[in-house]
Amino acid sequence: MNAKKDSEPDTTKNRTTVEPKSEREIVVTRTFDAPARIVFQAWTTPELFRRWWVPKSMPLALLSYEADIRTGGGYRLVFDVDGTKTMAFFGKYIEVTPHSRIVWTNDESGEDGAVTTVTLEEKGDKTLLVLHELYRSKEVRDAALASGAYDGMGETFGQLDEVLVTLGA
Amino acid sequence: MVQHSDARLDASFAALSDATRRGVLEQLGRADASITELAEKFHMTLTGMKKHVGVLERAGLVATEKVGRVRTCKLGPSRLESETAWIEGYRQLWGSRFDELDKVIEELKRKEKVDERKKR
C-alpha cells in the first residue's frame, strides 16, 4: 500500500503508485526512462499498445483493438474472457495532444463511465506519466468500489491477484 | 464484495488518501502501538499523530484504548477489505501494464539508436 514496505526494495525500478485523490478521483503515477515522444509512440501505435495493455498475467486475451487516436476519434477493445464470452471496452478521445496529453471516455459503462486523462511530462531524460480517472459522481465511484466492478475489470482483479501471487510478483 | 454505506466508504477513502495514515495502518497490521511510538516512527509531533489517528478512528480503521496513561492503537473493526483489495488490484493491473510498456519503450529506444547510426 505504500512505498515503505515493498517486497523487493529496488531503487532502480520505477514504481507505480495509486492514490485515491478525492471522492471522485483516482490517480496513478509512473516514471519511464525515455523521452515523452517515445512513451507517446508506445501508447498510440496500435501494434505496440497491444503488447503492453494486456499483461500476460491477466486472464484475458485481446481479440481486437481498433483506434483512431486523435481528438474526436474513438477506440474499441474486445477481450475474450476465459474462452466463454467476450467483453468490449470502447469510448471517444476527447483530446489527443502529441507527446503530452490523451483524454478519453469509457463508454461501456454507459452514462456512468469515468473519464481518463493521461499526461506525459519530461523530467530530464525521463518522463513522468500521470493517469487520472475522474468519475461522473461520488455515487458512481462508490458503487464501483463497493461492487468491486471497476470498468468491468473488477471481476478480473481477484484472478489477477492469484495469478500474480503464483508468479511471485 | 462487502457492501458499505456511502458515508463509511467516504470516510475510509479520505483516511486512505494520506501516505502517513496508510503507513500507520500497515504498522498496526504488524503490531499494536501507542500514539507516542507512532509519532516517533513517522517523525511527527504527538499532536500531528493524534490528528491522523483521529481520522483513522472515525473511519473505523483504527481502534484506540487508554491503558493507564498510554493510548494504544490497533486495527479497527473496518478491515478495509474492499477498498484495499480494490486499490491493490488496480495498482497491480497498472503496475504490470507499465512493466510491459517499459519493454516496448526500451525496444523503441534501441531502434532509434540503430536508425541514427545508419543515417550517418
Side-chain angles (χ1 to χ4, degrees):
Chain A
M1 248 162 87
N2 95 359
K4 279 191 201 64
K5 185 197 72 167
D6 227 71
S7 49
E8 39 180 42
D10 181 356
T11 48
T12 59
K13 201 165 174 249
N14 295 316
R15 280 191 88 254
T16 300
T17 66
V18 174
E19 304 265 336
K21 266 283 184 285
S22 75
E23 56 185 30
R24 289 178 57 205
E25 300 162 279
I26 300 280
V27 176
V28 182
T29 60
R30 176 66 144 75
T31 298
F32 292 93
D33 301 325
R37 64 184 162 75
I38 288 195
V39 180
F40 187 83
Q41 188 187 348
W43 197 296
T44 56
T45 310
E47 62 269 24
L48 296 174
F49 178 90
R50 293 178 75 118
R51 284 176 44 196
W52 63 268
W53 187 255
V54 190
K56 291 174 189 67
S57 56
M58 270 177 82
L60 293 174
L62 186 56
L63 294 177
S64 68
Y65 170 52
E66 295 149 30
D68 176 13
I69 309 175
R70 54 185 170 172
T71 302
Y75 70 91
R76 188 180 179 86
L77 287 144
V78 181
F79 289 95
D80 167 86
V81 187
D82 56 37
T84 56
K85 56 180 193 242
T86 59
M87 196 161 66
F89 296 86
F90 52 91
K92 289 186 263 324
Y93 290 104
I94 296 174
E95 184 195 332
V96 177
T97 305
H99 314 340
S100 68
R101 208 171 140 86
I102 311 171
V103 185
W104 70 88
T105 61
N106 298 273
D107 295 342
E108 63 279 346
S109 326
E111 289 296 293
D112 289 345
V115 173
T116 313
T117 301
V118 170
T119 56
L120 303 173
E121 189 189 342
E122 276 187 8
K123 305 217 172 223
D125 54 358
K126 292 176 189 270
T127 296
L128 172 68
L129 183 150
V130 179
L131 182 136
H132 172 272
E133 301 229 84
L134 181 67
Y135 293 82
R136 304 280 156 107
S137 71
K138 177 179 90 63
E139 289 71 25
V140 171
R141 191 215 63 191
D142 287 358
L145 279 171
S147 68
Y150 181 79
D151 265 16
M153 286 279 192
E155 67 190 59
T156 66
F157 284 154
Q159 302 172 49
L160 177 64
D161 277 345
E162 287 165 32
V163 176
L164 286 169
V165 165
T166 60
L167 291 173
Chain B
M1 281 292 208
V2 192
Q3 287 291 333
H4 289 255
S5 72
D6 283 359
R8 166 39 95 44
L9 203 54
D10 275 352
S12 317
F13 238 69
L16 279 173
S17 65
D18 178 276
T20 303
R21 291 199 286 268
R22 291 196 299 272
V24 167
L25 286 178
E26 272 186 40
Q27 197 57 40
L28 296 177
R30 288 194 283 270
D32 297 356
S34 71
I35 295 208
T36 313
E37 285 166 344
L38 291 171
E40 278 168 14
K41 191 146 201 90
F42 292 90
H43 312 293
M44 291 184 78
T45 62
L46 212 50
T47 315
M49 185 48 76
K50 271 184 187 150
K51 274 188 193 153
H52 280 310
V53 168
V55 172
L56 290 166
E57 201 169 11
R58 280 191 294 280
L61 301 171
V62 163
T64 67
E65 191 186 3
K66 200 156 182 165
V67 182
R69 284 189 311 180
V70 181
R71 188 169 281 280
T72 302
C73 312
K74 59 180 185 198
L75 286 183
S78 162
R79 289 291 174 165
L80 266 181
E81 283 122 358
S82 57
E83 294 95 323
T84 42
W86 186 85
I87 288 171
E88 186 48 28
Y90 195 75
R91 197 183 68 77
Q92 289 188 342
L93 170 68
W94 285 105
S96 35
R97 266 181 189 165
F98 289 153
D99 289 349
E100 295 290 328
L101 179 53
D102 272 338
K103 293 177 199 165
V104 174
I105 284 170
E106 281 310 309
E107 254 175 60
L108 288 174
K109 273 163 70 181
R110 274 203 303 273
K111 212 165 147 280
E112 267 198 3
K113 280 202 184 101
V114 171
D115 289 350
E116 267 171 34
R117 270 189 230 121
K118 279 183 189 159
K119 277 183 202 148
R120 277 176 208 153

